[in-house]
Amino acid sequence: MTKERIYLFDTTLRDGQQTPGIDFSVEDKIAIAAMLDEFGMDYVEGGYPGANPTDTEFFKRKRTEKSSFVAFGMTKRAGVSASNDPGLNALLAADSDAVCLVAKSWDYHVAVALGCSNEENLESIRASVEAVVASGREAMVDCEHFFDGYKANPAYAIACATTALEAGARWVVLCDTNGGTQPPEIRDIVSAVIASGAPGANLGIHAHNDTGQAVANSLAAVEAGVRQIQGTLNGIGERCGNANLVTLVATLALKDTYSSRFETAIDADRLQELTGLAHSFDELLNRSPDPQAPYVGASAFATKAGIHASALLKDPKTYEHVAPESVGNLRKVMVSDQGGKANFINALKRRGIAVSKDDPRLDKLIAIVKEREATGYAYEGADASFTLLASRILGTVPDFFHVESFRVMVERRFDANGRLKTVSEAVVRVIVDGETMMSVAEGHGPVNALDLALRKDLGKYQSEIADLELADYKVRILNGGTEAVTRVLIESTDRTGARWWTVGVSDNIIDASFQALMDSIVYKLLKNRDQVGLIAAE
């Protein structure tokens, strides 16, 4: 039996950015786009070029290699030709593979929000899609408020969809913008749209989670015939969020009711990276992953009940709906650590590190990682620190330099003009090839001063780190009180455009920062020698 293809459309960088408290920088967007591209999403929607400086800068060049890179914007305004509409022209000028146009499909919104006639709105849809197709890009249309619009005026909602398809749109996406439609309604309305003549192979679903059913609504739409699903990583989005693509990817792949009939771009090997993707994204957002998230949560395959634990030890299938290893997660109650070993071996393989499951050094690495993560380290969000740790345990890392000591001082004082100022100064003693060098630097805060002093004089390695830059610095307090344990996550980059993340944990924020800074520099020196991942793991 030939399986039908379900296409995965990620809108984390556009709709997900509507989440309260989330504001992606250009660097954040570049990093997230790379994560999504590497994982294998069919479409990565980058944002709204022309609407703000961040998205305009982001779209100056294509940000994915394999995934279709999508620009989002509105159809042209009524009364203005497509060629003279500045918003549409900004979309067409963006470096993207596809353009997703949002269109009104509820006649109430057409009258109130657009202030034009129903026919003028249809013309705007038609002309905008034709302009995208003429530009050589794949065209798709998000029919905003489609399900509410269908309930109010079925004929007009369907006319909006069919107009887009007739104009050449590859996809027409039916949006539950308010998130209040229920799964049976989704199924019935999608079925009606297909019965009207719109091919399911050209239809998608975009569900919001306002009643907690965005995933269920997306699956109901698939059952009814749509073949594209839009959603976000970990279900982020405005209000209650969007359909969680992490949950949907796993469900489509692992539940026979779907996997027997459908396939996605995510194969079994990629699926094992799902937990890492979900957790890495949360770390980038500087928030703790949800321990009870389906499939990928730390508690997703954990049990405390004695009878459950006993049954799990006999046969994991007694209390697990899927094998945790299939999504890169871990079982908390295990006969052995073989499942854990499989995850570590896969994680090392992705970094170019080959190691046998019987190698005793692997057991040592697993023990150290688990011990450190118990104290607050999070290696899923700090790829470079994990690679260095693995390199040190499984092979060797050159002893480029040794920091003998450092001192950081913060002084709050009045300057000669009577203005209150705070001055940070750091002193670092570094040994390179037996020679001791002392560097002093002032910075904007103690961490910046320490970074500048540490990188001020590394002897023969100094020229190698001239292009090293700290792109981001995140701090998370892991417990309460003045003696709180602090985790510091640092993002670094260099002139090649490569980005890497390092982590430090301590009850002293300066010490935690120093650990992450040291890992960043050592990783850079290894990278310069193309030694990252090249380990003697016999």
Side-chain angles (χ1 to χ4, degrees):
M1 177 181 173
T2 302
K3 295 182 181 181
E4 292 189 69
R5 181 79 145 79
I6 302 295
Y7 292 83
L8 303 171
F9 183 109
D10 185 280
T11 182
T12 299
L13 297 175
R14 199 271 303 173
D15 217 357
Q17 188 165 249
Q18 307 304 312
T19 310
I22 290 180
D23 187 18
F24 297 131
S25 65
V26 175
E27 290 73 23
D28 289 335
K29 288 200 162 199
I30 292 171
I32 295 167
M35 291 164 58
L36 296 167
D37 187 36
E38 176 63 25
F39 184 67
M41 294 295 182
D42 294 296
Y43 296 94
V44 173
E45 188 174 59
Y48 200 152
N52 58 70
T54 297
D55 284 358
T56 300
E57 177 66 25
F58 184 52
F59 274 93
K60 282 187 176 178
R61 63 186 180 89
K62 189 174 181 292
R63 301 296 183 177
T64 58
E65 294 182 8
K66 300 180 288 293
S67 304
S68 290
F69 190 45
V70 186
F72 175 89
M74 294 182 65
T75 56
K76 77 170 189 68
R77 293 170 295 168
V80 177
S81 68
S83 60
N84 289 322
D85 188 276
L88 184 58
N89 284 330
L91 283 177
L92 299 178
D95 194 350
S96 68
D97 301 301
V99 173
C100 183
L101 300 161
V102 61
K104 302 293 185 185
S105 56
W106 186 359
D107 57 358
Y108 169 72
H109 273 251
V110 173
V112 174
L114 297 182
C116 67
S117 70
N118 288 351
E119 290 70 25
E120 287 175 321
N121 181 52
L122 293 177
E123 174 55 30
S124 291
I125 293 172
R126 180 182 297 105
S128 300
V129 171
E130 289 174 348
V132 172
V133 173
S135 74
R137 252 79 63 86
E138 184 176 325
M140 56 187 80
V141 173
D142 273 7
C143 285
E144 189 182 42
H145 294 281
F146 182 85
F147 295 94
D148 293 310
Y150 182 91
K151 294 174 192 177
N153 187 337
Y156 187 69
I158 289 176
C160 292
T162 55
T163 296
L165 290 170
E166 290 168 357
R170 166 65 180 91
W171 293 105
V172 169
V173 182
L174 312 180
C175 303
D176 185 29
T177 310
N178 287 340
T181 310
Q182 301 302 293
E185 295 177 295
I186 295 283
R187 184 184 60 246
D188 292 346
I189 293 173
V190 170
S191 297
V193 173
I194 293 175
S196 74
N202 296 101
L203 296 179
I205 180 69
H206 180 110
H208 282 256
N209 203 40
D210 295 73
T211 65
Q213 296 181 100
V215 168
N217 281 342
S218 298
L219 294 173
V222 168
E223 287 283 354
V226 308
R227 294 298 176 257
Q228 186 202 95
I229 298 177
Q230 294 196 355
T232 59
L233 286 180
N234 297 340
I236 69 167
E238 62 182 330
R239 303 187 311 275
C240 304
N242 288 47
N244 189 339
L245 276 184
V246 173
T247 303
L248 282 161
V249 164
T251 299
L252 289 168
L254 298 175
K255 294 303 174 183
D256 186 64
T257 187
Y258 301 110
S259 63
S260 62
R261 295 178 291 156
F262 307 116
E263 62 181 3
T264 70
I266 311 304
D267 59 21
D269 288 340
R270 288 292 183 203
L271 194 64
Q272 292 178 28
E273 300 175 16
L274 190 65
T275 297
L277 173 68
H279 291 191
S280 295
F281 179 63
D282 276 326
E283 288 297 333
L284 188 146
L285 296 180
N286 202 25
R287 68 180 194 180
S288 298
D290 178 4
Q292 293 188 302
Y295 297 103
V296 299
S299 299
F301 300 97
T303 182
K304 290 176 66 176
I307 188 171
H308 293 186
S310 176
L312 273 171
L313 291 173
K314 294 175 182 176
D315 185 352
K317 292 180 181 178
T318 54
Y319 282 97
E320 289 177 353
H321 65 105
V322 298
E325 297 84 3
S326 63
V327 291
N329 208 340
L330 291 170
R331 181 178 303 120
K332 287 294 182 69
V333 180
M334 299 168 64
V335 177
S336 68
D337 64 355
Q338 291 305 306
K341 279 188 176 181
N343 287 340
F344 272 84
I345 290 170
N346 285 334
L348 294 168
K349 182 180 178 181
R350 292 197 300 271
R351 293 162 176 81
I353 303 171
V355 60
S356 167
K357 67 178 181 180
D358 300 321
D359 192 325
R361 294 175 299 176
L362 179 60
D363 295 323
K364 181 180 179 182
L365 174 63
I366 292 172
I368 291 174
V369 169
K370 289 183 176 180
E371 179 183 345
R372 290 194 175 191
E373 289 192 335
T375 65
Y377 285 83
Y379 286 110
E380 283 166 319
D383 191 74
S385 285
F386 176 78
T387 300
L388 288 176
L389 177 62
S391 300
R392 292 181 174 116
I393 300 300
L394 300 174
T396 59
V397 173
D399 188 14
F400 295 109
F401 60 92
H402 172 68
V403 176
E404 189 175 62
S405 65
F406 70 83
R407 183 171 72 251
V408 180
M409 296 160 286
V410 179
E411 182 183 6
R412 192 168 186 258
R413 64 170 186 254
F414 290 95
D415 64 13
N417 297 316
R419 291 174 297 192
L420 187 64
K421 63 186 301 185
T422 302
V423 179
S424 298
E425 181 183 88
V427 181
V428 178
R429 292 172 62 90
V430 182
I431 299 175
V432 181
D433 288 344
E435 181 182 355
T436 301
M437 289 160 285
M438 186 173 71
S439 300
V440 181
E442 287 189 352
H444 300 292
V447 176
N448 180 239
L450 180 60
D451 176 42
L452 293 174
L454 183 60
R455 294 196 281 142
K456 195 170 187 179
D457 190 358
L458 282 183
K460 64 183 182 181
Y461 302 116
Q462 187 59 35
S463 61
E464 291 192 43
I465 62 170
D467 63 331
L468 173 62
E469 294 183 11
L470 266 60
D472 202 1
Y473 174 87
K474 291 184 172 72
V475 176
R476 186 182 306 162
I477 305 302
L478 301 180
N479 54 16
T482 55
E483 298 179 356
V485 173
T486 302
R487 179 163 73 221
V488 169
L489 192 68
I490 288 177
E491 179 185 356
S492 304
T493 185
D494 62 15
R495 64 169 169 256
T496 68
R499 314 186 84 80
W500 60 94
W501 289 261
T502 52
V503 66
V505 174
S506 174
D507 57 5
N508 184 303
I509 189 172
I510 303 302
D511 183 55
S513 302
F514 175 75
Q515 295 173 36
L517 288 169
M518 281 282 288
D519 273 4
S520 175
I521 293 172
V522 173
Y523 187 87
K524 164 66 174 171
L525 293 174
L526 279 179
K527 174 179 174 293
N528 288 353
R529 288 157 179 75
D530 293 323
Q531 290 184 1
V532 174
L534 299 179
I535 300 171
E538 299 89 356

